[in-house]
């Protein structure tokens, strides 16, 4: 379990502590007052546990548990079962979610896969926020569905509004944490969360509402009916995440061919990739763009395999401009043969274009990152780094993008501060 706390920043620890306090309060209150309709609580708790057991990691290292989140949402929004009003409190909802999540995490912990505590804490707090907002309204909404002129529209409207607010709060919390973790601007993190995580959140929210409404008519059979399509959907998400991971692993393996062949210094492609992604974040690039940038940076030198005589040290910054451009074009042709990385191939092809030709931002970033690593390599000497940066600055506006150079300077200063610590 100690491994789960390693590398956590203050924001993540605060989130985990808040979730822990809410969970303890929920369990203690429920133990003191006893469960309302225990069979329903156990059923939804079991589905939450299954969801946590089948959790997966999406692009951007985002841990999600769609089935568990949908089950938690359905239990929160449940008003009645076969005309029998449910009076479970918000704290009981918190207790069921917390116990279900812990039960689902235990098998992973037993086999040495500790849970992402910050991700679990966020899921619990998001469920708790919706529960504290919705459960006090459950009684009047139930009466509207059972009165002389029964209608579900007010209840549905309240559900949609509160879910939308909860999703927005969840996005903001996730963006705050991500901005700290990956060193990016908060507005960029918000945009990435809206683009990458919000669609899945909206799908989970719709599933949760449907689960609550179906349970109203079908009793606990709805849990079994809805579990199957949710599992199929989760398998599809897992395959998608697996394909993305395989792409990156393949690209990383391919990038090492130039190192194994002695065309570039060991670790060059990996260092350029990390530096380019850090520069891209400084310049506010979105996650899909950063992924393409990472691919292109890893394979930016693959064209050197066409050379009869390797460039000394693989330093294309010291090569003739025409030769460097030819290497970039040959590398782009190799990448294009994959049939799925055409945009990455274009980034690699144009990495040696002069600024006057307006190459893509990713190409300009790779050119700056490659030049810096060609001059510095794996050294951490501050004088060498300063001299390399000054040399690159002398060609700003003609060979190198000034904005990328300034972003590189900030990244180097931050890395130097980390080394000093």
């Amino acid at each position: 379990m100690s491994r789960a706390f390693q590398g956590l920043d203050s924001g993540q620890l605060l989130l985990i502590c808040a979730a822990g306090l809410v969970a303890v309060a929920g369990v203690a209150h429920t133990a003191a007052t006893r469960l309302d309709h225990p069979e329903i609580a156990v059923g939804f708790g079991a589905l939450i546990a299954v969801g946590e057991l089948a959790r997966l990691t999406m692009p951007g290292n985002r841990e999600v548990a769609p089935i568990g989140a949908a089950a938690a949402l359905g239990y929160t929004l449940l008003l009645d079962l076969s005309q029998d009003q449910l009076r479970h409190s918000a704290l009981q909802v918190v207790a069921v979610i917390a116990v279900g999540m812990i039960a689902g995490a235990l098998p992973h912990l037993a086999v040495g896969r500790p849970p992402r505590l910050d991700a679990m804490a966020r899921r619990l707090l998001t469920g708790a926020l919706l529960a504290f907002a919705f459960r006090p309204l459950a009684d009047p909404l139930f009466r509207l569905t059972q009165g002389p002129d029964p209608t579900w529209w007010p209840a549905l409207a309240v559900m949609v509004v509160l879910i939308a607010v909860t999703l927005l709060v969840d996005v903001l919390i996730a963006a705050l944490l991500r901005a700290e973790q990956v060193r990016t601007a908060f507005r960029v993190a918000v945009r990435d969360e809206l683009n990458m995580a919000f669609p899945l959140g909206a799908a989970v929210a719709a599933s949760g509402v449907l689960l609550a409404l179906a349970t109203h008519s079908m009793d606990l059979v709805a849990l079994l009916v809805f579990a199957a399509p949710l599992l199929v959907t989760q398998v599809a998400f897992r395959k998608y995440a697996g394909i993305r991971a395989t792409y990156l692993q393949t690209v990383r393996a391919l990038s090492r061919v130039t190192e194994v062949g002695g065309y570039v210094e060991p670790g060059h492609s990996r260092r350029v990739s990390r530096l380019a992604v850090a520069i891209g974040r400084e310049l506010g690039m979105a996650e899909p763009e950063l992924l393409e940038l990472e691919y292109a940076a890893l394979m930016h030198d693959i064209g050197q395999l066409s050379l009869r005589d390797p460039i000394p040290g693989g330093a294309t910054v010291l090569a003739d401009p025409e030769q460097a451009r030819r290497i970039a074009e040959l590398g782009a042709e190799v990448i294009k043969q994959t049939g799925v990385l055409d945009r990455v191939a274009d980034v690699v092809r144009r990495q040696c274009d002069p600024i006057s030709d307006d190459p893509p931002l990713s190409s300009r970033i790779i050119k700056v990152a490659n030049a810096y690593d060609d001059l510095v390599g794996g050294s951490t000497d501050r004088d060498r780094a300063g001299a390399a940066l000054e040399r690159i600055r002398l060609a700003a506006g003609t060979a190198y993008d000034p904005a990328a150079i300034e972003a590189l300077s900030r990244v180097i200063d931050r890395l130097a501060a980390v080394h000093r610590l």
Side-chain angles (χ1 to χ4, degrees):
M1 179 63 75
S2 61
R3 287 168 52 195
F5 287 95
Q6 293 177 0
L8 296 177
D9 57 38
S10 57
Q12 292 171 306
L13 290 173
L14 180 62
L15 187 73
I16 292 168
C17 290
L21 290 174
V22 172
V24 169
V27 172
H29 176 271
T30 304
T33 59
R34 307 184 70 176
L35 281 171
D36 178 70
H37 288 76
E39 71 284 356
I40 300 173
V42 170
F44 275 91
L47 188 56
I48 293 170
V50 170
E52 287 295 324
L53 185 62
R55 68 176 186 264
L56 65 154
T57 302
M58 296 294 287
N61 199 31
R62 294 177 174 87
E63 184 185 275
V64 295
I67 295 177
L73 194 63
Y75 187 60
T76 302
L77 302 178
L78 202 56
L79 295 178
D80 68 337
L81 195 71
S82 300
Q83 310 297 321
D84 182 16
Q85 183 179 3
L86 302 179
R87 299 184 180 277
H88 54 287
S89 65
L91 285 172
Q92 178 171 316
V93 171
V94 171
V96 170
I97 296 175
V99 172
M101 291 175 71
I102 292 171
L106 286 177
H108 288 284
L109 192 61
V111 295
R113 292 195 300 263
R116 284 274 307 276
L117 294 180
D118 58 328
M120 289 183 66
R122 219 182 83 218
R123 292 196 290 273
L124 177 61
L125 288 178
T126 299
L129 175 64
L130 182 61
F132 284 116
F134 182 82
R135 292 315 304 175
L137 304 175
D139 281 347
L141 291 176
F142 173 78
R143 286 194 291 271
L144 287 175
T145 64
Q146 302 297 319
D149 187 18
T151 176
W152 274 89
W153 290 112
L156 286 174
V158 171
M159 290 178 185
V160 170
V161 170
L162 291 181
I163 289 172
V165 172
T166 303
L167 283 176
L168 180 59
V169 172
D170 184 57
V171 164
L172 293 176
I173 294 174
L176 280 170
L177 295 175
R178 193 159 189 82
E180 177 66 22
Q181 291 166 10
V182 301
R183 303 284 185 178
T184 191
F186 176 67
R187 60 178 179 78
V188 176
V190 170
R191 182 189 63 196
D192 286 340
E193 290 301 320
L194 287 172
N195 291 335
M196 303 293 290
F198 191 83
L200 178 59
V204 168
S207 299
V209 172
L210 290 174
L211 182 58
L213 297 180
T215 306
H216 162 77
S217 304
M218 302 169 59
D219 295 345
L220 292 180
V221 177
L223 294 178
L224 299 177
V225 172
F226 269 76
L230 285 173
L231 281 170
V232 171
T233 303
Q234 184 144 332
V235 169
F237 274 119
R238 190 178 295 277
K239 287 185 177 180
Y240 167 71
I243 291 171
R244 290 283 294 268
T246 301
Y247 267 8
L248 186 55
Q249 290 169 2
T250 302
V251 169
R252 284 174 175 165
L254 189 60
S255 71
R256 294 199 61 198
V257 173
T258 52
E259 299 177 16
V260 174
Y263 288 89
V264 300
E265 293 293 326
H268 170 73
S269 298
R270 185 177 66 254
R271 291 193 301 270
V272 171
S273 172
R274 290 176 179 173
L275 198 56
V277 170
I279 294 171
R281 286 200 175 102
E282 285 286 331
L283 295 177
M285 294 180 70
E287 280 196 37
E289 297 171 318
L290 288 173
L291 184 62
E292 288 183 352
L293 174 60
E294 185 176 6
Y295 287 168
L298 283 168
M299 296 189 291
H300 75 283
D301 267 338
I302 201 169
Q304 292 202 42
L305 295 174
S306 64
L307 300 178
R308 285 186 178 180
D309 300 316
I311 300 172
T316 52
V317 70
L318 305 176
D320 178 80
E322 287 303 319
Q323 184 185 32
R325 186 174 292 109
R326 181 61 178 161
I327 290 171
E329 290 174 353
L330 290 170
E333 289 303 317
V334 171
I335 297 169
K336 202 168 184 179
Q337 295 305 311
T338 63
V340 293
L341 297 173
D342 289 350
R343 292 177 62 178
V344 173
D346 186 59
V347 170
V348 171
R349 174 180 290 108
R350 302 195 62 188
Q351 65 179 304
C352 294
D353 288 1
I355 297 300
S356 58
D357 289 349
D358 193 27
L361 177 59
S362 294
S363 300
R364 288 177 269 160
I365 290 173
I366 290 174
K367 189 173 185 179
V368 168
N370 175 67
Y372 178 81
D373 194 78
D374 277 347
L375 296 170
V376 177
S379 172
T380 57
D381 183 79
R382 295 179 62 187
D383 293 335
R384 186 174 178 181
L389 189 58
E390 188 60 32
R391 177 171 177 171
I392 294 171
R393 278 201 174 107
L394 291 175
T398 54
Y400 303 108
D401 182 4
I405 295 173
E406 292 310 309
L408 170 66
S409 177
R410 293 192 294 272
V411 170
I412 293 171
D413 288 343
R414 188 163 63 241
L415 292 175
V418 172
H419 284 306
R420 285 196 298 270
L421 293 176

